[in-house]
Amino acid sequence: DAKTTQPNSMESNEEEPVHLPCNHSTISGTDYIHWYRQLPSQGPEYVIHGLTSNVNNRMASLAIAEDRKSSTLILHRATLRDAAVYYCNLRDAGGTSYGKLTFGQGTILTVHP
Amino acid sequence: EPEVTQTPSHQVTQMGQEVILRCVPISNHLYFYWYRQILGQKVEFLVSFYNNEISEKSEIFDDQFSVERPDGSNFTLKIRSTKLEDSAMYFCASSVLSMLNTEAFFGQGTRLTVV
């Protein structure tokens, strides 16, 4: 799997936007970018994914750089419930894997009231 | 909202004993996975299962581990002879298609403690 790099931790204040960066300089043309998060004492939870274009859903937005070597997960208004570990992952459409998702260390997001 | 359910939530077992961790994936999903997370460490892939057979497994998934979908609804992980280092949270996941271009749903996990 291509490697991703994320900051170990970030902090935010409640109701402020949060931009979580991810570098994936070795991304291939067929790699999808997936974001998951893990709240304390819970299983991972899907957040969003994309290939080339920016994506929005009810949870977040995903901004993908034009060269696709980096992406940013945007939480528009952080809440205390958004405090979690956020994982950026790549999945290869051209590979033979049946969809294994590989988790790195992720970014620990702390949200202050 | 449909969800992946796992039982038990916490299992304590003696070293050398066999354990079976149970999962009920979402009903129309076709791909099934087991992951584990040792306390304080990252989530690690164990195995993926599709069309009633293992499609991929990690180095962790050795001969002591097996998976089964015995009745079309349950998906189980068996550890034949548990070791202390098997103590971890075990997460089951399922997805309609492969995790490639769709979301995967994870259960709340089973905390396995080997004593």
Side-chain angles (χ1 to χ4, degrees):
Chain A
D1 294 337
K3 184 175 170 57
T4 63
T5 305
Q6 300 177 253
N8 290 331
S9 63
M10 291 186 66
E11 298 187 16
S12 174
N13 294 318
E14 203 174 7
E15 299 192 3
E16 289 184 356
V18 182
H19 291 233
L20 296 164
C22 180
N23 286 317
H24 27 79
S25 58
T26 59
I27 191 171
S28 74
T30 53
D31 279 335
Y32 282 83
I33 303 162
H34 288 250
W35 284 82
Y36 281 74
R37 71 180 185 181
Q38 187 175 21
L39 279 64
S41 302
Q42 295 193 26
E45 175 187 33
Y46 168 83
V47 178
I48 200 167
H49 78 279
L51 183 60
T52 56
S53 302
N54 294 344
V55 185
N56 300 296
N57 66 19
R58 63 179 177 81
M59 288 181 69
S61 296
L62 176 60
I64 301 172
E66 196 168 332
D67 63 6
R68 301 208 327 123
K69 294 185 184 300
S70 65
S71 61
T72 302
L73 178 70
I74 302 167
L75 307 179
H76 296 285
R77 288 184 66 198
T79 68
L80 296 178
R81 194 191 174 279
D82 291 323
V85 182
Y86 286 79
Y87 301 100
C88 171
N89 306 279
L90 301 181
R91 291 306 301 127
D92 178 14
T96 58
S97 170
Y98 281 83
K100 176 188 72 174
L101 204 65
T102 302
F103 291 88
Q105 295 296 337
T107 296
I108 300 171
L109 176 65
T110 301
V111 181
H112 299 289
Chain B
E1 184 171 320
E3 60 180 10
V4 175
T5 57
Q6 291 186 242
T7 55
S9 57
H10 190 189
Q11 172 100 40
V12 181
T13 188
Q14 289 198 329
M15 190 169 53
Q17 295 296 305
E18 174 184 286
V19 293
I20 297 176
L21 309 182
R22 302 181 191 281
C23 169
V24 179
I26 295 172
S27 61
N28 64 333
H29 285 188
L30 301 177
Y31 291 79
F32 314 107
Y33 311 85
W34 282 100
Y35 286 77
R36 80 172 186 188
Q37 186 173 34
I38 295 171
L39 187 63
Q41 298 187 24
K42 63 184 182 182
V43 179
E44 300 175 291
F45 169 77
L46 292 178
V47 66
S48 59
F49 191 86
Y50 169 71
N51 200 26
N52 283 320
E53 61 182 19
I54 291 173
S55 48
E56 190 171 1
K57 61 183 180 180
S58 72
E59 290 178 354
I60 303 168
F61 195 88
D62 61 20
D63 292 344
Q64 293 299 312
F65 291 87
S66 62
V67 289
E68 194 177 32
R69 188 157 160 79
D71 56 11
S73 62
N74 291 287
F75 180 51
T76 62
L77 174 69
K78 182 192 293 186
I79 307 175
R80 187 173 306 126
S81 176
T82 52
K83 303 186 283 286
L84 294 177
E85 53 265 40
D86 293 328
S87 295
M89 282 291 288
Y90 287 81
F91 295 107
C92 172
S94 70
S95 58
V96 173
L97 303 173
S98 74
M99 286 187 184
L100 172 63
N101 189 23
T102 188
E103 64 182 288
F105 293 81
F106 284 78
Q108 292 301 302
T110 292
R111 179 172 299 283
L112 176 65
T113 303
V114 182
V115 297

